């Protein structure tokens, strides 16, 4: 019998996945037992949501993309009741050599979009909890740590600290009570890897935490998940309840004397709470302000006890490593960086979504081979990696390998895996301003340079984007950047200037165009553009009425014109026009 | 609690906020207060201060630190504009401008009739549909100004009809 799987991650739901699921339910009433209906997480092809998979036996399946409830009837008729494939609706067209999934290596995402995340049995069927069983029943805590060290796994939350080494510190720390914390705060405003893993394969994260708890000798743990991820939190609750029933959580797991419990804490919307010491303060119920390190959480963390914090993706790697061995993991990647990395692809790339590639693959390969290049085949300009802490890498350097050291050399960072692709229509000064206004807003205010310095930088950038910058501003930006980096306590301030520094390094000409020519080469910064009206104008007079300076002339039903010397470039006419007749240049 | 005091706190569902004396309970308490009442009122702060023994000023400090907590009630329809990186690059700013123009409210404001509130959020996780907005729980993606105006006008009509 055929199985229909509907992708119901957040991306699938936003695109209307639940309506598609309901339509299949209706079809089931009409054709009882014609197929089995299941839900699954995000397989990563967010660009073609709503995505469904029709599985016919173990090794034959078709994917349909951009499914709407209206299409469901035909799909049932043709593909399920008879065996016809509807070529036009395939998510991966047969003649497309750049196959999205085949060009990836999936360890973290091994089950995402494949199993039903609401069923622990499906996870177990795929070898789930075998890693935990192996660790608890056949290995000592030191064996586990040695294997993780051997795998070369580094923290995927952004810092890139070797995971096994961190576990060893916490194991060695003195304390009667120790904690494990899973960092699921995912604050980078353009990243959604952790969310997809939590929604698509929550048990993998729980299993990783159990193994970590065993290795360091912790019996209690927290998952700190941002409240903006209600679906992920619901999935985690469900998975924890099921794991308790199976005795993968609770007392005497696998009949050993090891006990382990997991609690969920919901974040409350503060980017800085992704920083480990702020996160701990937040779990303790306080304002999420970072603390000075040392002491590191490994020595004195949650309620002063030794605490090991890792990121969602870090934990999701662990069961695979224990089951297959550290060597198998280290076989992927480069000398410095082992294994795979998940990236959230967004921006001007054709295939937005999640990809997992081995370390050592180049950025160009990800963008052009896996993700099929730039939307509308426009000119590729740069990628931004690492979110507000990261930086921009220009197109001509995108043959750089995915490797912690190599990426650092460009001035950007690996970060947690957000990759925003930008084309010729993206203004780099505007991007720098965007990230800086984010960090400025999210600065907790503890350090003066972070609080006030970022504000001053933002003011300068704002000045530049409205054409009132001076060349001296560029020097000031650089000087302030250095001071903020040096005088901030936590990573937020220390990295906040990075987007500005990297765009100034690689795209100085764009800054200069804004300052000297009062022009925005990408036509983004509205205050220095020229507005004109083209012949799509119907003479509806809406723009003339909206114009605060009466700069728009024209009779009813006649083409309107903008008097340039009166125009204050507020962009109102552009916003109100319903015929796309106002052009910015 | 004296009789008078407990009357003061009547509108609150006391059972909802089981305070087990555990450390770290403050944020979950505030979250359930907001879930129930839509925002954190001064009364709620006083009540939580009362049951936990944490000074009201400290609680206020926590409330204002986190973006999730609101100290004012929301409109009937909450319009959230995603200003995450992908949406920004794909034109979230004109989307916000259009809403301000159509509904006459700026970010963090509620319309005088209490029908609409405009908020800015960072990445709601459907970057592939950027630019994206949420109206209550409904997502609208791949927006353009004209498309958005149509949607907003539908809501305005709805509001009128509901009256
Ligand atoms: C401002 C700031 C925000 C951070 N946000 C996150 C986050 O959202 N998720 C995360 O896993 N780590 C985040 N980190 C890194 C954590 O402090 C910590 O290094 C990480 O959780 C450790 O786990 P790992 O070793 O598995 O990467 C952030 C750090 C800083 C300075
Ligand atoms: S940036 Fe808007 S949904 Fe991700």
């Amino acid at each position: 019998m055929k199985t229909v799987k509907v992708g119901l991650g957040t991306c699938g739901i936003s695109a209307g996945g639940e309506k598609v699921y309901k339509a299949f339910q209706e079809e089931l009433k009409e054709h009882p037992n014609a197929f089995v209906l299941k839900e699954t997480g995000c397989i990563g092809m967010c660009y073609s949501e709503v995505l469904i998979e029709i599985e016919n036996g173990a090794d034959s399946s078709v994917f349909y993309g951009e499914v709407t409830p209206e299409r469901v009837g035909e799909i049932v008729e043709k593909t399920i009741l008879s065996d016809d494939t509807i070529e036009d609706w395939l998510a991966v067209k047969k003649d497309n050599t750049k196959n999205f999934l085949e060009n990836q290596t999936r360890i973290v995402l091994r089950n995402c979009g494949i199993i039903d995340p609401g069923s622990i049995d499906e996870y177990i069927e795929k070898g789930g909890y075998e890693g935990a069983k192996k660790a608890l029943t056949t290995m000592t805590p030191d064996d586990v740590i040695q294997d993780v060290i051997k795998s070369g796994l580094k923290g995927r939350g952004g810092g890139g600290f070797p995971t096994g080494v961190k576990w060893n510190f916490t194991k060695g720390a003195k304390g009667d009570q120790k904690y494990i914390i899973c960092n699921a705060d995912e604050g980078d405003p353009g990243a959604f890897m952790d969310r997809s893993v939590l929604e698509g394969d929550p048990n993998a994260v729980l299993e990783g935490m159990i193994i970590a708890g065993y290795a360091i000798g912790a019996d209690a743990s927290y998952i700190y998940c941002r409240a903006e991820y209600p679906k992920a939190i619901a999935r985690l609750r469900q998975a924890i309840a099921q794991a308790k029933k199976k005795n993968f959580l609770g007392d005497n797991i696998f009949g050993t004397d090891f006990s382990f419990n997991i609690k969920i804490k919901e974040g409350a919307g503060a980017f800085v709470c992704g920083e480990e010491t702020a996160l701990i303060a937040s779990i303790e119920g306080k304002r999420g302000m970072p603390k000075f390190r040392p002491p590191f959480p490994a020595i004195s963390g949650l309620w002063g006890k030794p605490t090991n914090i890792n990121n969602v993706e870090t934990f999701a790697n662990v069961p695979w490593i224990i089951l297959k061995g550290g060597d198998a993991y280290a076989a992927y990647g480069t000398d410095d960086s082992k294994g795979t990395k998940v990236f959230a692809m967004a921006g001007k790339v054709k295939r937005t979504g999640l990809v997992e590639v081995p370390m050592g693959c180049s950025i160009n390969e990800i963008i052009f081979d896996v993700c099929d290049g730039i939307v509308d085949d426009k000119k590729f300009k740069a990628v931004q990696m690492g979110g507000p802490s990261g930086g921009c890498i220009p197109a001509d350097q995108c043959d750089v390998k995915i490797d912690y050291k190599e990426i650092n050399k460009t001035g950007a960072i690996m970060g947690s895996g957000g990759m925003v692709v930008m084309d010729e229509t993206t203004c780099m000064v505007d991007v720098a301003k965007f990230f800086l206004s984010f960090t400025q807003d999210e600065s907790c205010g503890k350090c003066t340079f972070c609080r006030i310095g970022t504000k001053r930088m933002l003011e300068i950038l704002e000045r530049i984007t409205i054409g009132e910058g001076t060349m001296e501003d560029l020097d000031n930006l650089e000087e302030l950047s250095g001071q903020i980096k040096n005088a901030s306590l936590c990573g937020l301030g220390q990295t906040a200037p990075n987007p500005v520094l990297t765009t100034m390094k690689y795209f100085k000409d764009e800054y200069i165009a804004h300052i000297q020519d009062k022009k925005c080469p990408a036509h983004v910064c509205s205050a220095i553009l020229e507005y004109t009206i083209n012949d799509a104008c119907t003479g509806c007079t809406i723009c003339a009425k909206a114009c605060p300076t009466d700069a728009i002339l024209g009779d009813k039903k006649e083409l309107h014109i903008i008097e340039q010397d009166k125009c204050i470039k507020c962009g109102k006419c552009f916003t109100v026009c319903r015929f796309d007749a106002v052009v910015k240049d | 609690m004296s009789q008078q005091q407990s009357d003061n706190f009547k509108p609150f569902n006391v059972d909802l906020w089981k305070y087990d004396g555990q450390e770290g309970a403050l944020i979950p308490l505030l979250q359930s207060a907001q879930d129930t009442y839509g925002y954190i009122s001064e009364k709620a702060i006083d009540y939580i201060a009362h049951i936990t023994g944490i000074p009201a000023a400290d609680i206020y400090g926590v409330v204002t630190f986190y973006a999730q907590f609101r100290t004012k009630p929301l409109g009937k329809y909450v319009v959230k504009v995603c200003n995450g990186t992908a949406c920004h690059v794909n034109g979230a700013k004109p989307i916000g401008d259009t809403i301000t123009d159509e509904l006459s409210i700026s970010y963090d404001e509620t319309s005088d009739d209490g029908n609409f509130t405009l908020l800015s959020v960072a990445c709601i996780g459907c970057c592939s549909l950027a630019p994206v907005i949420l109206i209550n729980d409904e997502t609208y993606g791949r927006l353009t100004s004209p498309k958005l105006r149509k949607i907003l006008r539908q809501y305005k009509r709805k509001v009128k009809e509901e009256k």
Side-chain angles (χ1 to χ4, degrees):
Chain A
M1 182 159 13
K2 294 185 175 109
T3 306
V4 175
K5 297 185 197 167
V6 182
L8 289 181
T10 297
C11 47
I13 293 175
S14 328
E18 279 170 338
K19 287 176 197 137
V20 170
Y21 190 82
K22 277 212 188 89
F24 275 108
Q25 276 178 327
E26 290 301 314
E27 290 288 332
L28 258 185
K29 280 186 202 149
E30 236 169 81
H31 312 279
N33 301 323
F35 56 95
V36 182
L37 182 61
K38 281 188 179 170
E39 61 175 284
T40 186
C42 169
I43 199 162
M45 298 152 97
C46 306
Y47 59 93
S48 68
E49 292 288 1
V50 176
L51 194 71
I52 66 160
E53 182 183 4
I54 299 172
E55 228 177 32
N56 188 7
D59 38 33
S60 135
S61 75
V62 261
F63 282 99
Y64 287 127
E66 291 170 50
V67 178
T68 56
E70 293 75 36
R71 288 184 174 183
V72 169
E74 198 175 332
I75 291 175
V76 171
E77 195 85 1
K78 290 200 172 143
T79 312
I80 297 179
L81 298 179
S82 12
D83 270 316
D84 288 342
T85 308
I86 311 168
E87 299 283 334
D88 277 353
W89 294 351
L90 283 178
V92 185
K93 303 266 188 305
K94 287 221 169 85
D95 54 358
N96 198 333
T97 47
K98 292 178 180 167
N99 190 314
F100 185 73
L101 293 173
E102 274 168 20
N103 284 324
Q104 303 187 39
T105 304
R106 292 164 83 99
I107 293 179
V108 173
L109 302 178
R110 57 194 178 272
N111 294 324
C112 284
I114 293 171
I115 63 168
D116 174 357
S119 158
I120 197 170
D121 291 321
E122 287 197 19
Y123 178 69
I124 293 170
E125 232 169 76
K126 296 274 177 193
Y129 289 103
E130 290 290 322
K133 187 173 177 189
K134 180 178 171 191
L136 268 59
T137 57
T138 68
M139 298 165 84
T140 65
D142 280 322
D143 291 343
V144 173
I145 289 174
Q146 283 318 314
D147 218 22
V148 174
I149 291 178
K150 213 192 290 166
S151 76
L153 175 66
K154 291 187 184 179
R156 299 292 191 238
F161 192 81
T163 305
V165 177
K166 196 194 288 193
W167 290 9
N168 209 17
F169 283 147
T170 323
K171 176 173 184 282
K174 280 208 184 73
D176 46 349
Q177 171 73 59
K178 291 179 187 175
Y179 293 103
I180 296 281
I181 295 177
C182 172
N183 188 342
D185 198 42
E186 196 160 58
D188 170 1
F192 48 91
M193 308 74 53
D194 294 352
R195 192 205 66 216
S196 288
V197 173
L198 294 172
E199 285 179 1
D201 197 13
N203 282 291
V205 180
L206 303 188
E207 188 180 352
M209 292 175 70
I210 295 168
I211 295 169
Y214 174 72
I216 70 158
D219 62 0
S221 68
Y222 289 90
I223 300 177
Y224 186 89
C225 186
R226 61 191 304 215
E228 290 91 332
Y229 287 175
K231 180 102 193 176
I233 293 172
R235 282 283 182 235
L236 281 170
R237 291 228 154 89
Q238 193 181 22
I240 290 173
Q242 292 181 358
K244 270 190 190 149
K245 274 215 186 97
K246 301 255 181 205
N247 193 227
F248 298 140
L249 290 173
D251 293 334
N252 304 105
I253 301 170
F254 297 116
T256 64
D257 54 10
F258 175 67
S259 305
F260 194 71
N261 284 297
I262 300 180
K263 281 190 192 159
I264 298 175
K265 279 276 175 180
E266 284 182 44
F271 173 64
V272 73
C273 286
E275 197 279 336
E276 51 192 30
T277 59
L279 187 151
I280 288 171
S282 181
I283 293 183
E284 291 171 349
K286 300 181 201 140
R287 286 164 71 99
M289 304 273 234
K291 274 196 227 139
F292 188 74
R293 298 174 309 179
F296 284 90
I299 307 300
S300 169
L302 188 60
W303 290 306
K305 310 286 186 200
T307 302
N308 181 82
I309 302 191
N310 281 122
N311 163 265
V312 169
E313 191 183 327
T314 313
F315 280 126
N317 272 303
V318 168
W320 193 98
I321 291 172
I322 296 300
L323 201 57
K324 312 243 165 151
D327 291 330
Y329 192 80
Y332 294 102
T334 61
D335 284 348
D336 174 69
S337 310
K338 303 293 185 195
T340 61
K341 178 80 198 84
V342 182
F343 290 99
M345 305 299 298
K348 309 278 177 139
V349 66
K350 276 194 193 141
R351 293 173 177 165
T352 51
L354 281 194
V355 305
E356 181 173 357
V357 292
M359 298 276 187
C361 156
S362 78
I363 295 180
N364 276 332
E365 283 172 88
I366 298 179
I367 294 177
F368 292 97
D369 294 347
V370 184
C371 296
D372 206 21
I374 308 297
V375 179
D376 296 334
D377 294 314
K378 286 217 169 78
K379 198 165 156 230
F380 171 40
K381 190 173 189 176
V383 290
Q384 208 282 349
M385 284 179 74
S389 306
C392 290
I393 304 177
D396 60 15
Q397 295 205 14
C398 281
D399 49 2
V400 60
K401 289 191 172 13
I402 299 294
D403 172 292
Y404 286 91
K405 278 197 186 140
E406 295 295 317
I407 301 280
N408 278 350
K409 277 190 207 155
T410 66
I413 59 166
M414 178 81 86
S416 60
M419 199 183 274
V420 184
V421 179
M422 298 181 264
D423 67 6
E424 54 195 326
T425 64
T426 317
C427 167
M428 303 314 281
V429 186
D430 178 70
V431 166
K433 191 178 83 175
F434 167 76
F435 282 113
L436 201 70
S437 67
F438 180 84
T439 32
Q440 206 282 314
D441 210 37
E442 293 291 341
S443 165
C444 78
K446 185 166 179 163
C447 310
T448 317
F449 277 89
C450 176
R451 184 179 69 241
I452 303 173
T454 55
K455 179 109 189 138
R456 291 290 98 81
M457 283 181 74
L458 185 60
E459 286 164 1
I460 295 177
L461 286 173
E462 264 159 7
R463 238 176 15 237
I464 295 176
T465 53
I466 59 169
E468 289 176 7
T470 61
M471 291 306 282
E472 205 191 335
D473 280 338
L474 295 182
D475 299 331
N476 288 340
L477 280 176
E478 215 146 317
E479 191 185 333
L480 272 168
S481 295
Q483 289 165 344
I484 295 168
K485 276 172 164 257
N486 286 332
S488 297
L489 181 64
C490 86
L492 190 144
Q494 286 162 7
T495 59
N498 284 354
V500 180
L501 288 175
T502 51
T503 48
M504 285 216 299
K505 177 167 163 198
Y506 295 118
F507 299 97
K508 199 152 201 171
D509 51 331
E510 282 193 36
Y511 281 84
I512 294 173
H514 283 78
I515 295 170
Q516 291 186 334
D517 313 335
K518 316 266 179 247
K519 281 241 176 318
C520 173
H523 306 311
V524 172
C525 300
S526 53
I528 46 175
L529 296 176
E530 198 171 280
Y531 289 81
T532 48
I533 295 175
N534 67 18
D535 36 351
C537 174
T538 63
C540 74
T541 72
I542 280 196
C543 59
K545 283 183 196 134
C547 178
T549 57
D550 291 328
I552 303 181
L553 302 177
D555 290 328
K556 220 176 189 174
K557 296 199 177 149
E558 297 284 326
L559 185 74
H560 284 43
I561 51 162
I562 302 177
E563 284 192 297
Q564 293 303 331
D565 52 342
K566 276 196 192 165
C567 175
I568 55 164
K569 317 203 192 260
C570 65
K572 257 231 128 124
C573 50
F574 183 84
T575 319
V576 297
C577 180
R578 276 180 273 159
F579 306 98
D580 285 332
V582 179
V583 234
K584 321 187 254 190
D585 195 19
Chain B
M1 213 186 286
S2 73
Q3 184 55 43
Q4 199 215 339
Q5 252 176 331
S6 63
D7 277 353
N8 251 340
F9 295 125
K10 259 263 164 72
F12 294 105
N13 177 353
V14 179
D15 279 345
L16 184 76
W17 304 345
K18 280 192 206 103
Y19 175 60
D20 50 9
Q22 256 193 0
E23 284 175 285
L26 178 57
I27 291 171
L29 282 174
L30 290 168
Q31 279 165 337
S32 61
Q34 179 153 301
D35 279 351
T36 320
Y37 302 104
Y39 71 110
I40 311 269
S41 61
E42 244 174 72
K43 234 181 180 173
I45 292 180
D46 284 346
Y47 180 71
I48 293 172
H50 180 84
I51 55 171
T52 58
I54 301 171
D58 287 1
I59 298 176
Y60 190 72
V62 170
V63 169
T64 53
F65 184 84
Y66 294 100
Q68 188 192 19
F69 297 126
R70 291 178 298 268
T71 51
K72 278 192 236 133
L74 290 177
K76 185 162 175 194
Y77 294 103
V78 180
V79 184
K80 293 183 186 161
V81 180
C82 175
N83 277 297
T85 316
C87 288
H88 178 81
V89 173
N90 283 317
K93 186 167 177 294
I95 293 295
D97 291 348
T98 302
I99 298 175
T100 299
D101 187 65
E102 194 69 40
L103 301 179
S104 313
I105 42 174
S106 305
Y107 283 116
D108 295 322
E109 283 179 6
T110 300
S111 56
D112 291 338
D113 55 13
N115 282 322
F116 295 98
T117 301
L118 179 58
L119 299 176
S120 162
V121 293
C123 194
I124 48 180
C126 22
C127 311
S128 40
L129 305 176
V132 185
I133 65 164
L134 276 171
I135 302 184
N136 289 354
D137 288 329
E138 198 72 35
T139 317
Y140 299 92
R142 302 203 175 105
L143 288 173
T144 57
S145 272
K147 204 168 142 190
L148 175 59
R149 266 177 216 281
K150 256 193 216 145
I151 296 167
L152 294 173
R153 282 177 192 167
Q154 274 168 12
Y155 275 91
K156 281 207 234 170
R157 235 172 289 137
K158 219 171 166 179
V159 165
K160 258 196 206 142
E161 279 161 19
E162 281 163 2
K163 258 187 201 157

